[in-house]
Amino acid sequence: MLIKRAKGWELPESKTTPESHYLNRRAMVRAMGFGAASIALPAQLMAQDKSADPSAGLYPGRRNDRYGVPTPMTAEKLATTYNNFYEFGTDKSIWRDAQKLEVRPWTIKVGGMVEKPFEIGIDDLLAKVQLEERVYRHRCVETWSMIVPWSGFPVRSLVELCKPLGSAKFIVMKTLSKPSVMREQRDLLYPWPYTEGLAMDEAMNDLAFIATGLYGKPMPKQNGAPLRLVAPWKYGFKNVKSIVSVEFTDKKPKTFWEGLQSSEYGFWANVNPEVAHPRWSQATEKPLGSDQRIPTLLYNGYAEFVAGLYTDRKAEKLFM
Ligand code: MTE
């Protein structure tokens, strides 16, 4: 039997398991727990000033409020010190370790069902797209939520650049593999690299976003520098960080959490307050920094933009 120290990311506070418990893989997933948010803005974060990144002058992107500007905005220090980035550890306070991630040079490999595979550096990619800022709600499957200003560009712009074949049905994105820095990747109980994907029509939807910045600055490392997916109508685990690979395929990909626990996490993962996680309700959420729980909204409040994507997919498990 494989054993694993439990320090996970997704258990409501009421069910938090002490870190000292040693559990097998199944039990580990069952015991994923909340960590505590840091209080003060740490020195390393303060040091992440504009001179540190060659793309710093590009931020903030011009505000696009077409999809609403939800309030209240989450405090920057909370959104940048309370993170899920399993590669660096399974608790919420990985921001310090994540500073070891080097984000230049950074190359993204494009392949699979495309006219011609290619590689592109992050700064060349940034030169080809129009950056904008969008304030989106973010709803983690663990039931915490936040509202933050992302800078970036539509996934559609990335797709157009990649020139997928007409027969491609899914876009698949993967996180960097670097066990020397991303220590948790040495733990082979997880199906590394972190992999996520969208169906092509989801990827082409206006809301689907590649974020390269946050709070008007280049993306903090702990939030997924230099680029990550943001699909705000889905649970946060869809939003793969620190992307190095973009592939197109005609087969539905096996994603990271599906690979770990397919009875609890699926491909579509759309937010729905009426469909409970097997181990907890999804009816309400707790905004970071607030003591009050608030009702969760269908598609995280973005139904008017995305509900139409699923009218012909009713037979599938759309909400897990
Ligand atoms: N991407 C990678 N590579 N590794 C992760 O552990 N966690 C996911 C998602 N993307 C994760 C990831 C989860 S569960 C959530 S809720 C969001 O990132 C958290 O993003 P944030 O830390 O910027 O709030």
Side-chain angles (χ1 to χ4, degrees), residues 9 79 82-87 138 140-142 144 146 150 175 192 194 222-224 228 236-242 257:
W9 59 263
Y82 186 91
N83 300 101
N84 279 328
F85 204 161
Y86 251 43
E87 286 83 342
H138 173 104
C140 179
V141 75
E142 297 165 330
W144 59 267
M146 61 181 185
W150 303 107
T175 298
W192 307 116
Y194 199 101
Q222 62 273 28
N223 293 94
R228 67 176 286 175
F237 67 83
K238 292 294 292 181
N239 298 339
V240 49
K241 295 177 169 182
S242 304
W257 282 103

PDB file of all heavy atoms in Angstrom, residues 9 79 82-87 138 140-142 144 146 150 175 192 194 222-224 228 236-242 257, ligand 1:
ATOM      1  N   TRP A   9      -5.530  20.156  -0.699  1.00  0.00           N
ATOM      2  CA  TRP A   9      -6.064  21.470  -1.003  1.00  0.00           C
ATOM      3  C   TRP A   9      -7.551  21.581  -0.995  1.00  0.00           C
ATOM      4  O   TRP A   9      -8.089  22.610  -1.301  1.00  0.00           O
ATOM      5  CB  TRP A   9      -5.518  22.009  -2.318  1.00  0.00           C
ATOM      6  CG  TRP A   9      -5.765  21.201  -3.540  1.00  0.00           C
ATOM      7  CD1 TRP A   9      -4.887  20.329  -4.093  1.00  0.00           C
ATOM      8  CD2 TRP A   9      -6.925  21.186  -4.373  1.00  0.00           C
ATOM      9  NE1 TRP A   9      -5.415  19.780  -5.202  1.00  0.00           N
ATOM     10  CE2 TRP A   9      -6.666  20.292  -5.416  1.00  0.00           C
ATOM     11  CE3 TRP A   9      -8.151  21.855  -4.356  1.00  0.00           C
ATOM     12  CZ2 TRP A   9      -7.570  20.034  -6.420  1.00  0.00           C
ATOM     13  CZ3 TRP A   9      -9.058  21.586  -5.357  1.00  0.00           C
ATOM     14  CH2 TRP A   9      -8.768  20.689  -6.369  1.00  0.00           C
ATOM     15  N   ALA A  79      -4.739  37.221  -2.275  1.00  0.00           N
ATOM     16  CA  ALA A  79      -4.725  36.434  -3.519  1.00  0.00           C
ATOM     17  C   ALA A  79      -3.328  35.955  -3.883  1.00  0.00           C
ATOM     18  O   ALA A  79      -3.173  35.004  -4.655  1.00  0.00           O
ATOM     19  CB  ALA A  79      -5.315  37.262  -4.660  1.00  0.00           C
ATOM     20  N   TYR A  82      -2.235  33.089  -0.613  1.00  0.00           N
ATOM     21  CA  TYR A  82      -3.122  31.949  -0.313  1.00  0.00           C
ATOM     22  C   TYR A  82      -3.351  31.255  -1.646  1.00  0.00           C
ATOM     23  O   TYR A  82      -4.167  31.684  -2.451  1.00  0.00           O
ATOM     24  CB  TYR A  82      -4.426  32.483   0.270  1.00  0.00           C
ATOM     25  CG  TYR A  82      -5.395  31.425   0.754  1.00  0.00           C
ATOM     26  CD1 TYR A  82      -5.372  30.975   2.069  1.00  0.00           C
ATOM     27  CD2 TYR A  82      -6.359  30.884  -0.107  1.00  0.00           C
ATOM     28  CE1 TYR A  82      -6.275  30.024   2.513  1.00  0.00           C
ATOM     29  CE2 TYR A  82      -7.257  29.936   0.329  1.00  0.00           C
ATOM     30  CZ  TYR A  82      -7.213  29.511   1.643  1.00  0.00           C
ATOM     31  OH  TYR A  82      -8.111  28.566   2.084  1.00  0.00           O
ATOM     32  N   ASN A  83      -2.551  30.256  -1.913  1.00  0.00           N
ATOM     33  CA  ASN A  83      -2.534  29.696  -3.273  1.00  0.00           C
ATOM     34  C   ASN A  83      -2.628  28.183  -3.296  1.00  0.00           C
ATOM     35  O   ASN A  83      -2.248  27.513  -2.349  1.00  0.00           O
ATOM     36  CB  ASN A  83      -1.221  30.089  -3.978  1.00  0.00           C
ATOM     37  CG  ASN A  83      -1.063  31.587  -4.080  1.00  0.00           C
ATOM     38  OD1 ASN A  83      -0.344  32.191  -3.301  1.00  0.00           O
ATOM     39  ND2 ASN A  83      -1.744  32.189  -5.022  1.00  0.00           N
ATOM     40  N   ASN A  84      -3.085  27.697  -4.414  1.00  0.00           N
ATOM     41  CA  ASN A  84      -2.954  26.282  -4.732  1.00  0.00           C
ATOM     42  C   ASN A  84      -1.957  26.147  -5.879  1.00  0.00           C
ATOM     43  O   ASN A  84      -2.209  26.655  -6.985  1.00  0.00           O
ATOM     44  CB  ASN A  84      -4.299  25.694  -5.186  1.00  0.00           C
ATOM     45  CG  ASN A  84      -5.190  25.346  -4.016  1.00  0.00           C
ATOM     46  OD1 ASN A  84      -4.716  24.970  -2.956  1.00  0.00           O
ATOM     47  ND2 ASN A  84      -6.490  25.475  -4.203  1.00  0.00           N
ATOM     48  N   PHE A  85      -0.844  25.540  -5.597  1.00  0.00           N
ATOM     49  CA  PHE A  85       0.166  25.269  -6.629  1.00  0.00           C
ATOM     50  C   PHE A  85       0.914  24.038  -6.130  1.00  0.00           C
ATOM     51  O   PHE A  85       1.968  24.122  -5.517  1.00  0.00           O
ATOM     52  CB  PHE A  85       1.103  26.472  -6.808  1.00  0.00           C
ATOM     53  CG  PHE A  85       1.781  26.557  -8.154  1.00  0.00           C
ATOM     54  CD1 PHE A  85       2.332  27.766  -8.589  1.00  0.00           C
ATOM     55  CD2 PHE A  85       1.883  25.458  -9.003  1.00  0.00           C
ATOM     56  CE1 PHE A  85       2.960  27.877  -9.824  1.00  0.00           C
ATOM     57  CE2 PHE A  85       2.510  25.550 -10.243  1.00  0.00           C
ATOM     58  CZ  PHE A  85       3.054  26.774 -10.649  1.00  0.00           C
ATOM     59  N   TYR A  86       0.261  22.898  -6.368  1.00  0.00           N
ATOM     60  CA  TYR A  86       0.702  21.635  -5.790  1.00  0.00           C
ATOM     61  C   TYR A  86       2.146  21.291  -6.070  1.00  0.00           C
ATOM     62  O   TYR A  86       2.776  20.583  -5.298  1.00  0.00           O
ATOM     63  CB  TYR A  86      -0.199  20.524  -6.333  1.00  0.00           C
ATOM     64  CG  TYR A  86      -1.134  19.978  -5.292  1.00  0.00           C
ATOM     65  CD1 TYR A  86      -1.796  20.841  -4.434  1.00  0.00           C
ATOM     66  CD2 TYR A  86      -1.331  18.614  -5.148  1.00  0.00           C
ATOM     67  CE1 TYR A  86      -2.633  20.349  -3.454  1.00  0.00           C
ATOM     68  CE2 TYR A  86      -2.171  18.111  -4.182  1.00  0.00           C
ATOM     69  CZ  TYR A  86      -2.811  18.982  -3.329  1.00  0.00           C
ATOM     70  OH  TYR A  86      -3.629  18.486  -2.361  1.00  0.00           O
ATOM     71  N   GLU A  87       2.667  21.767  -7.189  1.00  0.00           N
ATOM     72  CA  GLU A  87       4.048  21.442  -7.529  1.00  0.00           C
ATOM     73  C   GLU A  87       5.008  21.905  -6.433  1.00  0.00           C
ATOM     74  O   GLU A  87       6.092  21.367  -6.266  1.00  0.00           O
ATOM     75  CB  GLU A  87       4.432  22.100  -8.862  1.00  0.00           C
ATOM     76  CG  GLU A  87       3.818  21.445 -10.084  1.00  0.00           C
ATOM     77  CD  GLU A  87       2.392  21.903 -10.391  1.00  0.00           C
ATOM     78  OE1 GLU A  87       1.731  22.464  -9.494  1.00  0.00           O
ATOM     79  OE2 GLU A  87       1.934  21.674 -11.524  1.00  0.00           O
ATOM     80  N   HIS A 138     -13.458  33.952  -9.098  1.00  0.00           N
ATOM     81  CA  HIS A 138     -12.730  32.680  -9.117  1.00  0.00           C
ATOM     82  C   HIS A 138     -13.331  31.823  -8.009  1.00  0.00           C
ATOM     83  O   HIS A 138     -13.401  32.258  -6.868  1.00  0.00           O
ATOM     84  CB  HIS A 138     -11.238  32.944  -8.845  1.00  0.00           C
ATOM     85  CG  HIS A 138     -10.392  31.714  -8.665  1.00  0.00           C
ATOM     86  ND1 HIS A 138      -9.548  31.250  -9.642  1.00  0.00           N
ATOM     87  CD2 HIS A 138     -10.254  30.878  -7.606  1.00  0.00           C
ATOM     88  CE1 HIS A 138      -8.922  30.158  -9.189  1.00  0.00           C
ATOM     89  NE2 HIS A 138      -9.331  29.919  -7.959  1.00  0.00           N
ATOM     90  N   CYS A 140     -12.981  28.232  -6.164  1.00  0.00           N
ATOM     91  CA  CYS A 140     -12.266  26.968  -5.981  1.00  0.00           C
ATOM     92  C   CYS A 140     -13.252  25.879  -5.575  1.00  0.00           C
ATOM     93  O   CYS A 140     -14.210  26.131  -4.841  1.00  0.00           O
ATOM     94  CB  CYS A 140     -11.187  27.122  -4.920  1.00  0.00           C
ATOM     95  SG  CYS A 140     -10.277  25.582  -4.636  1.00  0.00           S
ATOM     96  N   VAL A 141     -12.979  24.661  -5.995  1.00  0.00           N
ATOM     97  CA  VAL A 141     -13.833  23.525  -5.651  1.00  0.00           C
ATOM     98  C   VAL A 141     -13.864  23.293  -4.137  1.00  0.00           C
ATOM     99  O   VAL A 141     -14.786  22.702  -3.601  1.00  0.00           O
ATOM    100  CB  VAL A 141     -13.360  22.265  -6.426  1.00  0.00           C
ATOM    101  CG1 VAL A 141     -12.076  21.698  -5.825  1.00  0.00           C
ATOM    102  CG2 VAL A 141     -14.434  21.196  -6.510  1.00  0.00           C
ATOM    103  N   GLU A 142     -12.843  23.819  -3.444  1.00  0.00           N
ATOM    104  CA  GLU A 142     -12.789  23.702  -1.977  1.00  0.00           C
ATOM    105  C   GLU A 142     -13.810  24.590  -1.288  1.00  0.00           C
ATOM    106  O   GLU A 142     -13.966  24.493  -0.081  1.00  0.00           O
ATOM    107  CB  GLU A 142     -11.412  24.140  -1.469  1.00  0.00           C
ATOM    108  CG  GLU A 142     -10.270  23.312  -1.941  1.00  0.00           C
ATOM    109  CD  GLU A 142      -8.951  24.019  -1.693  1.00  0.00           C
ATOM    110  OE1 GLU A 142      -8.907  25.258  -1.709  1.00  0.00           O
ATOM    111  OE2 GLU A 142      -7.952  23.343  -1.479  1.00  0.00           O
ATOM    112  N   TRP A 144     -13.646  28.108  -1.325  1.00  0.00           N
ATOM    113  CA  TRP A 144     -13.225  29.503  -1.153  1.00  0.00           C
ATOM    114  C   TRP A 144     -13.302  30.190  -2.521  1.00  0.00           C
ATOM    115  O   TRP A 144     -13.308  29.537  -3.571  1.00  0.00           O
ATOM    116  CB  TRP A 144     -11.845  29.638  -0.516  1.00  0.00           C
ATOM    117  CG  TRP A 144     -10.693  28.986  -1.240  1.00  0.00           C
ATOM    118  CD1 TRP A 144     -10.202  27.731  -1.034  1.00  0.00           C
ATOM    119  CD2 TRP A 144      -9.896  29.552  -2.304  1.00  0.00           C
ATOM    120  NE1 TRP A 144      -9.157  27.486  -1.889  1.00  0.00           N
ATOM    121  CE2 TRP A 144      -8.942  28.578  -2.673  1.00  0.00           C
ATOM    122  CE3 TRP A 144      -9.886  30.778  -2.963  1.00  0.00           C
ATOM    123  CZ2 TRP A 144      -7.991  28.800  -3.687  1.00  0.00           C
ATOM    124  CZ3 TRP A 144      -8.945  31.006  -3.967  1.00  0.00           C
ATOM    125  CH2 TRP A 144      -8.012  30.022  -4.317  1.00  0.00           C
ATOM    126  N   MET A 146     -12.566  34.196  -4.792  1.00  0.00           N
ATOM    127  CA  MET A 146     -11.930  35.517  -4.804  1.00  0.00           C
ATOM    128  C   MET A 146     -12.379  36.260  -6.058  1.00  0.00           C
ATOM    129  O   MET A 146     -12.959  35.672  -6.982  1.00  0.00           O
ATOM    130  CB  MET A 146     -10.400  35.407  -4.754  1.00  0.00           C
ATOM    131  CG  MET A 146      -9.763  34.682  -5.912  1.00  0.00           C
ATOM    132  SD  MET A 146      -7.951  34.598  -5.717  1.00  0.00           S
ATOM    133  CE  MET A 146      -7.486  33.830  -7.271  1.00  0.00           C
ATOM    134  N   TRP A 150      -7.271  40.121 -13.579  1.00  0.00           N
ATOM    135  CA  TRP A 150      -6.247  39.443 -14.388  1.00  0.00           C
ATOM    136  C   TRP A 150      -5.901  40.325 -15.574  1.00  0.00           C
ATOM    137  O   TRP A 150      -6.788  40.956 -16.150  1.00  0.00           O
ATOM    138  CB  TRP A 150      -6.773  38.128 -14.954  1.00  0.00           C
ATOM    139  CG  TRP A 150      -7.296  37.112 -13.980  1.00  0.00           C
ATOM    140  CD1 TRP A 150      -8.599  36.786 -13.783  1.00  0.00           C
ATOM    141  CD2 TRP A 150      -6.534  36.268 -13.113  1.00  0.00           C
ATOM    142  NE1 TRP A 150      -8.692  35.792 -12.833  1.00  0.00           N
ATOM    143  CE2 TRP A 150      -7.436  35.451 -12.401  1.00  0.00           C
ATOM    144  CE3 TRP A 150      -5.162  36.124 -12.861  1.00  0.00           C
ATOM    145  CZ2 TRP A 150      -7.030  34.513 -11.462  1.00  0.00           C
ATOM    146  CZ3 TRP A 150      -4.756  35.179 -11.924  1.00  0.00           C
ATOM    147  CH2 TRP A 150      -5.678  34.392 -11.238  1.00  0.00           C
ATOM    148  N   THR A 175       1.633  22.156 -17.331  1.00  0.00           N
ATOM    149  CA  THR A 175       2.560  22.940 -16.512  1.00  0.00           C
ATOM    150  C   THR A 175       3.985  22.435 -16.707  1.00  0.00           C
ATOM    151  O   THR A 175       4.207  21.254 -17.010  1.00  0.00           O
ATOM    152  CB  THR A 175       2.146  22.807 -15.024  1.00  0.00           C
ATOM    153  OG1 THR A 175       0.841  23.356 -14.876  1.00  0.00           O
ATOM    154  CG2 THR A 175       3.095  23.513 -14.077  1.00  0.00           C
ATOM    155  N   TRP A 192       1.800  13.831 -12.638  1.00  0.00           N
ATOM    156  CA  TRP A 192       2.460  14.989 -13.253  1.00  0.00           C
ATOM    157  C   TRP A 192       2.716  14.754 -14.722  1.00  0.00           C
ATOM    158  O   TRP A 192       2.911  13.621 -15.113  1.00  0.00           O
ATOM    159  CB  TRP A 192       3.796  15.281 -12.541  1.00  0.00           C
ATOM    160  CG  TRP A 192       3.720  15.439 -11.072  1.00  0.00           C
ATOM    161  CD1 TRP A 192       4.297  14.633 -10.125  1.00  0.00           C
ATOM    162  CD2 TRP A 192       3.047  16.475 -10.332  1.00  0.00           C
ATOM    163  NE1 TRP A 192       4.012  15.096  -8.862  1.00  0.00           N
ATOM    164  CE2 TRP A 192       3.253  16.215  -8.964  1.00  0.00           C
ATOM    165  CE3 TRP A 192       2.286  17.593 -10.711  1.00  0.00           C
ATOM    166  CZ2 TRP A 192       2.728  17.027  -7.964  1.00  0.00           C
ATOM    167  CZ3 TRP A 192       1.765  18.398  -9.724  1.00  0.00           C
ATOM    168  CH2 TRP A 192       1.982  18.121  -8.374  1.00  0.00           C
ATOM    169  N   TYR A 194       0.926  18.633 -14.304  1.00  0.00           N
ATOM    170  CA  TYR A 194      -0.442  19.136 -14.163  1.00  0.00           C
ATOM    171  C   TYR A 194      -0.977  19.434 -15.562  1.00  0.00           C
ATOM    172  O   TYR A 194      -0.365  20.156 -16.333  1.00  0.00           O
ATOM    173  CB  TYR A 194      -0.423  20.413 -13.334  1.00  0.00           C
ATOM    174  CG  TYR A 194      -1.756  20.789 -12.722  1.00  0.00           C
ATOM    175  CD1 TYR A 194      -2.024  20.527 -11.380  1.00  0.00           C
ATOM    176  CD2 TYR A 194      -2.739  21.432 -13.472  1.00  0.00           C
ATOM    177  CE1 TYR A 194      -3.238  20.884 -10.800  1.00  0.00           C
ATOM    178  CE2 TYR A 194      -3.950  21.787 -12.900  1.00  0.00           C
ATOM    179  CZ  TYR A 194      -4.189  21.512 -11.558  1.00  0.00           C
ATOM    180  OH  TYR A 194      -5.386  21.870 -10.994  1.00  0.00           O
ATOM    181  N   GLN A 222       3.728  32.510  -7.761  1.00  0.00           N
ATOM    182  CA  GLN A 222       2.824  31.602  -7.042  1.00  0.00           C
ATOM    183  C   GLN A 222       1.438  31.531  -7.675  1.00  0.00           C
ATOM    184  O   GLN A 222       0.691  30.587  -7.441  1.00  0.00           O
ATOM    185  CB  GLN A 222       2.710  32.029  -5.561  1.00  0.00           C
ATOM    186  CG  GLN A 222       2.141  33.412  -5.326  1.00  0.00           C
ATOM    187  CD  GLN A 222       3.200  34.509  -5.359  1.00  0.00           C
ATOM    188  OE1 GLN A 222       4.228  34.379  -6.029  1.00  0.00           O
ATOM    189  NE2 GLN A 222       2.938  35.593  -4.652  1.00  0.00           N
ATOM    190  N   ASN A 223       1.109  32.518  -8.504  1.00  0.00           N
ATOM    191  CA  ASN A 223      -0.193  32.505  -9.183  1.00  0.00           C
ATOM    192  C   ASN A 223      -0.104  31.911 -10.584  1.00  0.00           C
ATOM    193  O   ASN A 223      -1.105  31.883 -11.309  1.00  0.00           O
ATOM    194  CB  ASN A 223      -0.791  33.909  -9.237  1.00  0.00           C
ATOM    195  CG  ASN A 223      -1.165  34.432  -7.857  1.00  0.00           C
ATOM    196  OD1 ASN A 223      -0.370  35.118  -7.223  1.00  0.00           O
ATOM    197  ND2 ASN A 223      -2.337  34.073  -7.369  1.00  0.00           N
ATOM    198  N   GLY A 224       1.103  31.445 -10.981  1.00  0.00           N
ATOM    199  CA  GLY A 224       1.193  30.726 -12.251  1.00  0.00           C
ATOM    200  C   GLY A 224       1.956  31.418 -13.343  1.00  0.00           C
ATOM    201  O   GLY A 224       1.667  31.223 -14.527  1.00  0.00           O
ATOM    202  N   ARG A 228      -1.066  31.453 -17.445  1.00  0.00           N
ATOM    203  CA  ARG A 228      -1.973  30.424 -16.916  1.00  0.00           C
ATOM    204  C   ARG A 228      -3.335  30.580 -17.560  1.00  0.00           C
ATOM    205  O   ARG A 228      -3.678  31.646 -18.099  1.00  0.00           O
ATOM    206  CB  ARG A 228      -2.121  30.571 -15.411  1.00  0.00           C
ATOM    207  CG  ARG A 228      -2.854  31.853 -15.047  1.00  0.00           C
ATOM    208  CD  ARG A 228      -3.109  31.995 -13.585  1.00  0.00           C
ATOM    209  NE  ARG A 228      -4.156  31.122 -13.107  1.00  0.00           N
ATOM    210  CZ  ARG A 228      -4.481  31.023 -11.815  1.00  0.00           C
ATOM    211  NH1 ARG A 228      -3.829  31.734 -10.917  1.00  0.00           N
ATOM    212  NH2 ARG A 228      -5.449  30.241 -11.436  1.00  0.00           N
ATOM    213  N   GLY A 236     -11.780  26.289  -9.948  1.00  0.00           N
ATOM    214  CA  GLY A 236     -10.434  26.828 -10.106  1.00  0.00           C
ATOM    215  C   GLY A 236      -9.390  25.820 -10.551  1.00  0.00           C
ATOM    216  O   GLY A 236      -8.383  26.200 -11.149  1.00  0.00           O
ATOM    217  N   PHE A 237      -9.612  24.534 -10.291  1.00  0.00           N
ATOM    218  CA  PHE A 237      -8.563  23.564 -10.653  1.00  0.00           C
ATOM    219  C   PHE A 237      -8.383  23.436 -12.159  1.00  0.00           C
ATOM    220  O   PHE A 237      -7.387  22.896 -12.626  1.00  0.00           O
ATOM    221  CB  PHE A 237      -8.785  22.201  -9.981  1.00  0.00           C
ATOM    222  CG  PHE A 237      -9.993  21.413 -10.423  1.00  0.00           C
ATOM    223  CD1 PHE A 237      -9.948  20.622 -11.562  1.00  0.00           C
ATOM    224  CD2 PHE A 237     -11.169  21.438  -9.677  1.00  0.00           C
ATOM    225  CE1 PHE A 237     -11.055  19.866 -11.956  1.00  0.00           C
ATOM    226  CE2 PHE A 237     -12.282  20.690 -10.051  1.00  0.00           C
ATOM    227  CZ  PHE A 237     -12.225  19.905 -11.201  1.00  0.00           C
ATOM    228  N   LYS A 238      -9.345  23.962 -12.947  1.00  0.00           N
ATOM    229  CA  LYS A 238      -9.166  23.935 -14.407  1.00  0.00           C
ATOM    230  C   LYS A 238      -8.051  24.900 -14.845  1.00  0.00           C
ATOM    231  O   LYS A 238      -7.508  24.781 -15.942  1.00  0.00           O
ATOM    232  CB  LYS A 238     -10.461  24.358 -15.120  1.00  0.00           C
ATOM    233  CG  LYS A 238     -11.617  23.402 -15.008  1.00  0.00           C
ATOM    234  CD  LYS A 238     -11.392  22.060 -15.696  1.00  0.00           C
ATOM    235  CE  LYS A 238     -11.331  22.132 -17.205  1.00  0.00           C
ATOM    236  NZ  LYS A 238     -11.129  20.767 -17.786  1.00  0.00           N
ATOM    237  N   ASN A 239      -7.749  25.874 -13.985  1.00  0.00           N
ATOM    238  CA  ASN A 239      -6.909  27.005 -14.410  1.00  0.00           C
ATOM    239  C   ASN A 239      -5.424  26.697 -14.304  1.00  0.00           C
ATOM    240  O   ASN A 239      -4.700  27.236 -13.462  1.00  0.00           O
ATOM    241  CB  ASN A 239      -7.265  28.243 -13.588  1.00  0.00           C
ATOM    242  CG  ASN A 239      -8.709  28.666 -13.806  1.00  0.00           C
ATOM    243  OD1 ASN A 239      -9.329  28.318 -14.814  1.00  0.00           O
ATOM    244  ND2 ASN A 239      -9.249  29.403 -12.867  1.00  0.00           N
ATOM    245  N   VAL A 240      -4.949  25.832 -15.157  1.00  0.00           N
ATOM    246  CA  VAL A 240      -3.565  25.336 -15.121  1.00  0.00           C
ATOM    247  C   VAL A 240      -2.558  26.495 -15.177  1.00  0.00           C
ATOM    248  O   VAL A 240      -2.681  27.411 -15.969  1.00  0.00           O
ATOM    249  CB  VAL A 240      -3.343  24.305 -16.260  1.00  0.00           C
ATOM    250  CG1 VAL A 240      -3.847  24.820 -17.594  1.00  0.00           C
ATOM    251  CG2 VAL A 240      -1.899  23.866 -16.388  1.00  0.00           C
ATOM    252  N   LYS A 241      -1.555  26.384 -14.296  1.00  0.00           N
ATOM    253  CA  LYS A 241      -0.554  27.444 -14.139  1.00  0.00           C
ATOM    254  C   LYS A 241       0.736  27.145 -14.908  1.00  0.00           C
ATOM    255  O   LYS A 241       1.015  25.992 -15.258  1.00  0.00           O
ATOM    256  CB  LYS A 241      -0.198  27.586 -12.656  1.00  0.00           C
ATOM    257  CG  LYS A 241      -1.355  28.061 -11.786  1.00  0.00           C
ATOM    258  CD  LYS A 241      -0.949  28.115 -10.319  1.00  0.00           C
ATOM    259  CE  LYS A 241      -2.020  28.834  -9.504  1.00  0.00           C
ATOM    260  NZ  LYS A 241      -1.630  28.942  -8.092  1.00  0.00           N
ATOM    261  N   SER A 242       1.534  28.182 -15.096  1.00  0.00           N
ATOM    262  CA  SER A 242       2.902  28.069 -15.624  1.00  0.00           C
ATOM    263  C   SER A 242       2.977  27.105 -16.808  1.00  0.00           C
ATOM    264  O   SER A 242       3.679  26.082 -16.778  1.00  0.00           O
ATOM    265  CB  SER A 242       3.860  27.641 -14.495  1.00  0.00           C
ATOM    266  OG  SER A 242       3.774  28.557 -13.422  1.00  0.00           O
ATOM    267  N   TRP A 257      -6.533  16.151 -12.012  1.00  0.00           N
ATOM    268  CA  TRP A 257      -7.379  15.721 -10.895  1.00  0.00           C
ATOM    269  C   TRP A 257      -8.224  14.526 -11.264  1.00  0.00           C
ATOM    270  O   TRP A 257      -8.524  13.685 -10.409  1.00  0.00           O
ATOM    271  CB  TRP A 257      -8.215  16.888 -10.370  1.00  0.00           C
ATOM    272  CG  TRP A 257      -7.343  17.752  -9.530  1.00  0.00           C
ATOM    273  CD1 TRP A 257      -6.790  18.949  -9.871  1.00  0.00           C
ATOM    274  CD2 TRP A 257      -6.836  17.432  -8.225  1.00  0.00           C
ATOM    275  NE1 TRP A 257      -5.970  19.397  -8.869  1.00  0.00           N
ATOM    276  CE2 TRP A 257      -5.982  18.487  -7.840  1.00  0.00           C
ATOM    277  CE3 TRP A 257      -7.002  16.355  -7.367  1.00  0.00           C
ATOM    278  CZ2 TRP A 257      -5.314  18.500  -6.620  1.00  0.00           C
ATOM    279  CZ3 TRP A 257      -6.337  16.372  -6.139  1.00  0.00           C
ATOM    280  CH2 TRP A 257      -5.511  17.427  -5.778  1.00  0.00           C
TER     281      TRP A 257
HETATM  282  N1  MTE B   1      -2.037  24.650 -11.661  1.00  0.00           N
HETATM  283  C1  MTE B   1      -0.992  23.880 -11.314  1.00  0.00           C
HETATM  284  N2  MTE B   1      -0.003  23.682 -12.191  1.00  0.00           N
HETATM  285  N3  MTE B   1      -0.911  23.283 -10.096  1.00  0.00           N
HETATM  286  C2  MTE B   1      -1.905  23.426  -9.174  1.00  0.00           C
HETATM  287  O1  MTE B   1      -1.812  22.842  -8.067  1.00  0.00           O
HETATM  288  N4  MTE B   1      -4.096  24.398  -8.646  1.00  0.00           N
HETATM  289  C3  MTE B   1      -5.364  24.778  -9.237  1.00  0.00           C
HETATM  290  C4  MTE B   1      -5.195  25.924 -10.245  1.00  0.00           C
HETATM  291  N5  MTE B   1      -4.076  25.673 -11.115  1.00  0.00           N
HETATM  292  C5  MTE B   1      -3.036  24.219  -9.506  1.00  0.00           C
HETATM  293  C6  MTE B   1      -3.050  24.855 -10.771  1.00  0.00           C
HETATM  294  C7  MTE B   1      -6.349  25.165  -8.239  1.00  0.00           C
HETATM  295  S1  MTE B   1      -7.022  23.896  -7.348  1.00  0.00           S
HETATM  296  C8  MTE B   1      -6.764  26.444  -8.071  1.00  0.00           C
HETATM  297  S2  MTE B   1      -8.082  26.816  -7.056  1.00  0.00           S
HETATM  298  C9  MTE B   1      -6.084  27.554  -8.729  1.00  0.00           C
HETATM  299  O2  MTE B   1      -4.976  27.136  -9.512  1.00  0.00           O
HETATM  300  C10 MTE B   1      -5.571  28.518  -7.672  1.00  0.00           C
HETATM  301  O3  MTE B   1      -5.028  29.655  -8.268  1.00  0.00           O
HETATM  302  P1  MTE B   1      -4.411  30.801  -7.368  1.00  0.00           P
HETATM  303  O4  MTE B   1      -3.386  30.165  -6.490  1.00  0.00           O
HETATM  304  O5  MTE B   1      -3.841  31.802  -8.302  1.00  0.00           O
HETATM  305  O6  MTE B   1      -5.560  31.348  -6.566  1.00  0.00           O
END
